[in-house]
Amino acid sequence: MQGKRVLELQCVFLVFVNVLCLSPAAGPTVKPSVSLLPPSSLQISGDSAALLCLLSSYSPQGAQVSWTLDGSEITEGVQTSAESEQGGRYSRSSALTLSKARWEKGELYVCKVTHEGAPQEASFQKSQSQC
């Protein structure tokens, strides 16, 4: 009789574990809100310039960020934060820091975000008067 009880408990435990492990994540998929902030005029007058890409209010976690400069992917000078969670929604930021010379040469800066397989972009087109 005790062997049967142990077997029943093992079966209940296995079913419970399988349900926990195999159930899809709860909640809807929410795409990130993406904003791109260009460098300030004060920063541009210095030795470097940084653009900031902000991702907010998305779910589930896992948004990836990359940058392009005039159509070419750029990794040097990129710093991307870890994702932070608040109330089941996630956010992160990514900064692209360029030397003054590199900033002056570039024209089109794009922050590319991929979340749940869906791409999004935020871009900044520099006018010649900003050099």
Side-chain angles (χ1 to χ4, degrees), residues 22-130:
L22 300 178
S23 295
T29 297
V30 179
K31 70 179 187 174
S33 173
V34 181
S35 302
L36 181 58
L37 306 175
S40 68
S41 55
L42 179 63
Q43 191 180 34
I44 293 169
S45 67
D47 293 337
S48 65
L51 293 95
L52 185 61
C53 186
L54 304 172
L55 290 66
S56 60
S57 299
Y58 61 91
S59 180
Q61 67 186 47
Q64 300 298 314
V65 182
S66 62
W67 289 87
T68 63
L69 172 56
D70 295 332
S72 298
E73 186 169 357
I74 184 168
T75 57
E76 185 179 339
V78 174
Q79 291 185 321
T80 302
S81 71
E83 291 176 303
S84 62
E85 184 267 336
Q86 184 174 3
R89 299 289 173 95
Y90 294 85
S91 62
R92 83 181 328 167
S93 62
S94 182
L96 171 60
T97 303
L98 302 164
S99 67
K100 185 174 183 175
R102 186 89 187 257
W103 167 256
E104 289 174 348
K105 286 183 192 176
E107 290 295 321
L108 179 62
Y109 305 85
V110 179
C111 171
K112 294 186 174 193
V113 176
T114 304
H115 179 253
E116 294 290 296
Q120 287 179 263
E121 292 184 353
S123 62
F124 176 72
Q125 176 78 44
K126 190 174 71 174
S127 67
Q128 292 299 322
S129 63
Q130 291 176 307

